[in-house]
Amino acid sequence: MQPISATNDFVVKFANVNGSGSASANELFARSILRMGVPVCSRNIFPSNIQGLPTWYEVRVSGEGWLGRRGETADFVVAMNPQTWNKDIDSIEPGGYLVFDSTKPLTTQKTRDDVHMLGVPLTRLSNTLEGTIPRERQLLKNVIYLGAVAQLLSMHLETVESLIAEQFAGKDKLIKLNYTAMKLGYDYAAEHLAGKCQLKVTKDDKVGDRIFIQGNDAAGLGAVFGGATVCAWYPITPSTSLAEAFTAHCKKFRVDPVTKKNNFAIVQAEDEIAAIGMVIGAGWNGARSFTATSGPGISLMQEFFGLAYFAEVPAVVFDIQRGGPSTGMPTRTQQSDILLAAYASHGDTKHPLLFPQDPGEAFEFAAQAFDLAERLQTPVFVMLDLDIGMNDWLCKPLQWDDKRKYDRGKIMTAEMLDAGKLFGRYLDVDGDAIPYRTLPATHPSKGAYFTRGSSRDRFAKYSEDGSVYVDNMQRLLRKFETAKTIVPAPVRRDAKEKTKYGAIYFGSTSPAMDEALAALEKDGVHLNTLRVRAFPFNEEVVEFINAHDQVFVVEQNRDAQLQKLIVNECAIDPARFISILHYDGTPITARFITGAIAERMKVTHKEAAE
């Protein structure tokens, strides 16, 4: 079989056992290629238990800069898990390569004639490392295969060495030990496997000033820059690392340099219900507060969301979506909480949702969410997912304008109250349906009100009168109309040629969609596209749909949740839409999108002809 030959355009997959310490070595591989100026996209596919089950780490090397997952297959596999051997070897493209531990001969393992087997005696080599204990040798085995892979792919050894030095800075013994282990693998491959692999990484300058960062880390930092001082949360995959990132960034930026006291409060609550209650309490008191959770947490918080909506208390919720229902697939990605979050709670409720496409927008939208929550006096949901939240993405450097001022919304000050300003907590004085609020201790005798979850009039006086309730609910609906004008606008991109077909997508689907559009265009299929960045939908969404005969809606859930939300909110005929749905827990790929759209286009054209 002719070996696959490619430069800066292939997929490497590491198949490991969860808990084997492989993550560090695998990430070093991805970062080393970035240091060589070649874009990569990495995806960590891991189980929900602590250790023992299979885990995979995929790195797509893309000189063209595509940042979506290519597909289920790989060109080069490092097989370190006997339990998944058959699955891993089946995933290799014909003509691809398999690196394995050849300390013991292959006897019962499956092989393929069209895969090039590259044996490296990893266990034997690790046993030559003097002064190490068995657990250390197990960990260093990962560094040995890193060295072998670096040689096989013609990577610069000094680049990998520099990253090891950075990772273990100040720990000279560990640096030396990892150098030694890596060199064992590198030298073995150079001596025994020279010329066996025709995949190469060559130095380039396609990365530029972009950074490699996880969405949860970026969102946690965005919360700090957005003025958040209170976080109440309960651990749940895949949101935990966002609260942890916020904690780390607060310790760096939110500690008084003189007193050394923390200017923040972070509470790990006893459960999700307590967490959102604390967030709402802090928001009522004037603090910018948030929680980070996932679908099951959103389910538990429902009644409190209704309270914050009806009492008009600002709060920010980061929903890092995962596969469901129930426990579902807690370590897999989906866009499956759209309807749950949009209408969270009982009764008539609607909440603004923000849809970041990458860690860069996760940072931007995290900060913006606090402005929106206070301006609209309502919960705002930032809808990330596991793919963005827990994977490293290549994106532009995070940007912040030091001149930017926080938008605290309509707050009645003591001076305004003393001047005789009319204060009704739920009174719309200027037609945007957003009332003024006061913060506790604003004035010793004026501006106080009771916050309740039951019906009240414009001046916060308890009332069960039906007309008073309707008046309040209609104002809340008008406030949602105001929200349409201030949430992030959609991003439209028109095809090079006139077309009657459009496509709508959002969030982490973006990199795969970018690549799919380029591939479809080469095949003569042209689509105008609209990337939705927020709910409620502004008029541009309706105008885009009405301008096309058919609109594909690409999303990562079973039930076409974004499409249903558009149909419900914009009164669009469902027949205008064609759903492209991907929900197996892995990130959607360009191959899936192009295949699905091309097939539907054939059917559509055939139906038109008939």
Side-chain angles (χ1 to χ4, degrees):
M1 166 63 66
Q2 184 71 22
I4 296 175
S5 178
T7 299
N8 294 350
D9 184 19
F10 52 87
V11 174
V12 176
K13 181 166 70 176
F14 299 89
N16 302 99
V17 176
N18 196 36
S20 63
S22 59
S24 178
N26 297 343
E27 289 172 11
L28 269 174
F29 171 77
R31 292 180 183 276
S32 296
I33 296 175
L34 285 174
R35 284 285 177 91
M36 293 179 65
V38 181
V40 302
C41 117
S42 65
R43 294 293 186 269
N44 191 15
I45 303 169
F46 58 98
S48 56
N49 73 333
I50 295 174
Q51 84 177 45
L53 288 181
T55 182
W56 292 271
Y57 186 79
E58 294 181 2
V59 179
R60 182 181 183 183
V61 183
S62 176
E64 293 187 36
W66 301 123
L67 299 179
R69 187 170 181 245
R70 192 185 71 180
E72 296 298 323
T73 61
D75 305 300
F76 188 110
V77 170
V78 179
M80 298 297 293
N81 188 350
Q83 292 182 341
T84 62
W85 176 277
N86 289 350
K87 182 176 182 178
D88 296 330
I89 199 168
D90 285 343
S91 72
I92 303 173
E93 290 278 350
Y97 308 88
L98 178 71
V99 170
F100 65 99
D101 187 350
S102 61
T103 301
K104 294 180 180 180
L106 298 177
T107 53
T108 60
Q109 291 91 337
K110 176 181 180 179
T111 59
R112 281 173 52 185
D113 292 337
D114 60 348
V115 169
H116 302 275
M117 309 291 285
L118 306 175
V120 180
L122 299 169
T123 302
R124 178 169 65 79
L125 291 173
S126 68
N127 288 336
T128 67
L129 293 168
E130 297 180 359
T132 58
I133 61 175
R135 176 56 179 168
E136 288 175 327
R137 290 194 288 275
Q138 173 63 40
L139 294 173
L140 289 166
K141 219 190 284 189
N142 303 314
V143 183
I144 295 172
Y145 75 59
L146 174 62
V149 171
Q151 199 284 328
L152 287 165
L153 299 179
S154 304
M155 294 168 60
H156 294 177
L157 187 61
E158 60 272 17
T159 301
V160 186
E161 289 177 338
S162 68
L163 282 167
I164 289 175
E166 291 176 18
Q167 180 169 322
F168 298 106
K171 301 176 181 178
D172 293 343
K173 183 179 178 181
L174 281 176
I175 292 174
K176 183 177 179 181
L177 188 57
N178 278 270
Y179 277 177
T180 302
M182 186 183 65
K183 199 72 164 60
L184 282 174
Y186 190 92
D187 289 345
Y188 182 90
E191 181 178 352
H192 299 280
L193 301 174
K196 299 283 188 179
C197 180
Q198 294 186 26
L199 301 176
K200 298 186 185 303
V201 181
T202 60
K203 194 170 179 61
D204 209 334
D205 60 356
K206 299 288 181 61
V207 174
D209 64 349
R210 286 182 289 177
I211 60 175
F212 204 45
I213 187 173
Q214 293 187 1
N216 281 352
D217 192 7
L221 184 60
V224 173
F225 274 74
T229 56
V230 176
C231 169
W233 65 293
Y234 184 78
I236 180 172
T237 302
S239 71
T240 297
S241 60
L242 194 157
E244 291 173 340
F246 179 74
T247 302
H249 293 310
C250 279
K251 288 179 178 178
K252 183 176 180 181
F253 297 113
R254 285 274 168 78
V255 177
D256 189 285
V258 178
T259 65
K260 305 302 180 185
K261 290 184 178 180
N262 294 337
N263 293 322
F264 59 91
I266 299 171
V267 182
Q268 183 176 321
E270 60 266 35
D271 55 33
E272 288 91 346
I273 300 173
I276 190 60
M278 294 175 189
V279 168
I280 293 168
W284 180 83
N285 273 280
R288 291 194 157 192
S289 56
F290 75 92
T291 191
T293 188
S294 192
I298 299 294
S299 297
L300 290 170
M301 297 175 184
Q302 293 289 302
E303 186 173 1
F304 264 129
F305 290 143
L307 171 64
Y309 173 80
F310 197 54
E312 296 179 76
V313 180
V316 172
V317 181
F318 292 94
D319 181 2
I320 320 303
Q321 299 167 92
R322 69 188 205 185
S326 187
T327 305
M329 294 195 293
T331 59
R332 299 294 188 265
T333 193
Q334 279 188 20
Q335 297 171 323
S336 53
D337 295 346
I338 306 305
L339 293 174
L340 173 68
Y343 301 124
S345 194
H346 49 280
D348 295 317
T349 54
K350 292 184 183 182
H351 307 289
L353 313 180
L354 307 183
F355 303 120
Q357 71 166 342
D358 62 9
E361 282 195 344
F363 171 81
E364 176 189 342
F365 287 6
Q368 188 176 2
F370 293 96
D371 281 350
L372 290 170
E374 290 207 297
R375 184 168 173 185
L376 293 167
Q377 299 175 30
T378 198
V380 172
F381 291 74
V382 183
M383 306 299 289
L384 293 161
D385 56 37
L386 184 144
D387 186 21
I388 296 176
M390 294 191 70
N391 283 315
D392 288 298
W393 286 51
L394 194 61
C395 67
K396 295 178 181 178
L398 309 181
Q399 300 290 328
W400 184 258
D401 183 358
D402 288 333
K403 297 178 181 178
R404 178 172 170 176
K405 302 292 184 183
Y406 296 146
D407 185 349
R408 302 301 309 267
K410 293 180 177 178
I411 297 177
M412 189 76 73
T413 65
E415 292 76 16
M416 294 167 71
L417 291 167
D418 281 334
K421 186 83 171 181
L422 178 64
F423 176 65
R425 176 60 186 96
Y426 302 105
L427 181 65
D428 180 12
V429 297
D430 54 13
D432 67 358
I434 302 172
Y436 275 87
R437 62 179 174 137
T438 58
L439 301 180
T442 293
H443 195 283
S445 61
K446 299 177 181 179
Y449 63 94
F450 287 107
T451 300
R452 59 171 75 247
S454 53
S455 182
R456 72 275 147 164
D457 66 15
R458 297 177 183 184
F459 292 88
K461 181 181 177 181
Y462 176 71
S463 172
E464 292 189 11
D465 185 280
S467 62
V468 170
Y469 172 79
V470 170
D471 176 70
N472 189 60
M473 292 297 287
Q474 286 297 114
R475 181 183 55 78
L476 289 171
L477 197 58
R478 293 198 307 275
K479 185 168 72 169
F480 209 65
E481 291 297 310
T482 299
K484 291 180 180 181
T485 66
I486 61 176
V487 296
V491 177
R492 176 167 178 160
R493 180 169 54 184
D494 287 338
K496 292 181 178 179
E497 296 186 15
K498 189 175 181 180
T499 177
K500 59 183 180 180
Y501 295 101
I504 291 175
Y505 63 101
F506 66 104
S508 63
T509 303
S510 295
M513 195 68 185
D514 290 341
E515 184 178 1
L517 290 171
L520 288 167
E521 187 177 276
K522 285 183 179 179
D523 291 338
V525 178
H526 300 280
L527 295 172
N528 297 326
T529 62
L530 193 74
R531 178 167 68 87
V532 173
R533 300 200 298 165
F535 170 74
F537 309 117
N538 68 18
E539 290 304 313
E540 190 174 348
V541 175
V542 177
E543 291 170 1
F544 179 85
I545 296 167
N546 288 336
H548 298 88
D549 291 350
Q550 295 268 248
V551 177
F552 295 96
V553 183
V554 185
E555 45 188 316
Q556 299 182 67
N557 57 68
R558 185 195 69 180
D559 293 339
Q561 293 188 27
L562 182 70
Q563 177 183 317
K564 285 183 170 63
L565 193 60
I566 294 172
V567 168
N568 190 50
E569 293 294 323
C570 303
I572 303 291
D573 181 357
R576 301 286 295 277
F577 297 112
I578 302 174
S579 290
I580 304 297
L581 305 175
H582 182 277
Y583 52 93
D584 68 0
T586 62
I588 195 169
T589 66
R591 289 181 177 181
F592 179 88
I593 295 171
T594 53
I597 289 180
E599 183 63 31
R600 292 307 302 266
M601 291 285 277
K602 291 177 184 176
V603 172
T604 303
H605 285 307
K606 181 180 179 182
E607 290 174 349
E610 292 174 351

